Amino acid sequence: MLILTRRPGESLYLGDTIKLKILSVQGKQIKIGLEVPEDMTVYREEVYLKIKEQNKQALETSQQDLLAAAALWEKKEPRK
Amino acid sequence: MGKERTKKIMTRLGEREVSSDGIVYFPRGLIGLEDKREFALLSVREGESPFFLLQCVTDPGLGLLVADPYSFLDKYDVKLENLDRKTLKIKNIKQLAILVTVTIPQNRPEETTLNLQGPIVINTEARIGVQVPQTDSGYPTHFSPIRG
């Protein structure tokens, strides 16, 4: 891993399209400003990992449980 | 005009027939499944069910259980970034359908939960889909729907 030291107000570039600026440091929190190309997605790691895990779980449902759940909630909507 | 072509695909629920306009393209894939791009939305069973299978067209073993969140919640706001709007080619908000992934603990279907933090948004007209993490929403990843 490349390790760099930066002060608030200082920036670094990743390639020539991504700019990462340290805006402020307050205690344990660092505020970072990002300038990235429009078509690039930026996710917080913990959110990304959580959703990835949830997608995995949605994949692993057994067919039996899936049909059982569908049966449990089947008539909710039409009953109003 | 008889233009509607159907093809048979293998799914987690056995062989199903999907029409060519029933296939949704995910330009960025799904989170953790970035290389899977084509999915068909299949009903889990006949009739009125809020549950669907988002089945990968090219991989029969890969089908995610998803649900219509509005069958369970009156209010659920999904925030879309500019990039997502662009990817989805939204012209009209009415084009959009929202789905959430579902987790069912093994052998405990009554403990089914919905993941409200990573909704899947589909432009139903253009048939483009994107999964959009809701970073600051405060929505839970395990929402327990109440049986009606």
Side-chain angles (χ1 to χ4, degrees):
Chain A
M1 186 186 278
L2 170 67
I3 298 169
L4 298 166
T5 306
R6 298 274 70 192
R7 295 172 192 284
E10 293 180 339
S11 301
L12 54 94
Y13 281 88
L14 307 179
D16 50 13
T17 54
I18 301 169
K19 184 180 174 182
L20 208 150
K21 186 175 184 178
I22 307 303
L23 298 175
S24 65
V25 183
Q26 284 163 342
K28 281 187 170 176
Q29 268 199 335
I30 300 165
K31 204 171 257 178
I32 298 170
L34 288 161
E35 284 173 33
V36 300
E38 259 200 3
D39 59 352
M40 178 173 277
T41 50
V42 178
Y43 301 123
R44 286 190 171 91
E45 185 185 33
E46 67 277 16
V47 174
Y48 179 87
L49 292 178
K50 242 191 237 169
I51 294 171
K52 192 170 157 179
E53 176 60 24
Q54 296 278 318
N55 280 355
K56 215 179 107 205
Q57 287 173 9
L59 276 170
E60 284 169 353
T61 308
S62 78
Q63 188 174 331
Q64 195 187 342
D65 286 338
L66 194 153
L67 293 171
L72 278 175
W73 276 276
E74 184 180 28
K75 284 181 184 129
K76 193 185 182 250
E77 193 65 352
R79 218 190 282 157
K80 211 195 110 187
Chain B
M1 293 264 193
K3 265 262 175 172
E4 184 133 320
R5 274 177 298 146
T6 59
K7 67 171 175 181
K8 286 193 174 126
I9 59 166
M10 274 312 288
T11 79
R12 290 190 52 203
L13 299 170
E15 194 179 72
R16 289 281 188 105
E17 210 163 76
V18 291
S19 65
S20 51
D21 60 6
I23 292 169
V24 181
Y25 183 70
F26 286 76
R28 309 207 293 261
L30 293 168
I31 290 173
L33 303 162
E34 279 81 2
D35 59 335
K36 306 292 183 205
R37 301 291 166 87
E38 285 188 335
F39 289 85
L41 194 62
L42 308 168
S43 51
V44 169
R45 49 189 285 159
E46 297 298 311
E48 297 286 335
S49 172
F51 294 105
F52 301 91
L53 190 69
L54 194 60
Q55 173 67 47
C56 178
V57 174
T58 52
D59 186 345
L62 203 146
L64 290 94
L65 183 59
V66 296
D68 164 22
Y70 300 105
S71 288
F72 304 101
L73 288 156
D74 291 331
K75 197 170 145 50
Y76 175 51
D77 291 321
V78 171
K79 220 164 126 189
L80 291 172
E81 303 290 339
N82 278 336
L83 169 61
D84 302 322
R85 290 172 192 279
K86 231 174 168 178
T87 308
L88 284 163
K89 300 197 171 117
I90 304 172
K91 293 200 186 93
N92 185 331
I93 195 118
K94 285 184 185 150
Q95 296 176 309
L96 299 182
I98 295 185
L99 297 166
V100 294
T101 60
V102 176
T103 303
I104 306 178
Q106 208 176 354
N107 299 323
R108 285 175 286 144
E110 65 285 352
E111 288 171 32
T112 294
T113 57
L114 309 179
N115 172 20
L116 301 183
Q117 222 177 66
I120 293 163
V121 182
I122 295 172
N123 179 339
T124 54
E125 276 171 43
R127 298 190 299 279
I128 299 169
V130 174
Q131 187 165 30
V132 284
Q134 300 292 294
T135 305
D136 299 313
S137 65
Y139 282 122
T141 49
H142 287 93
F143 172 80
S144 302
I146 295 153
R147 252 173 295 160

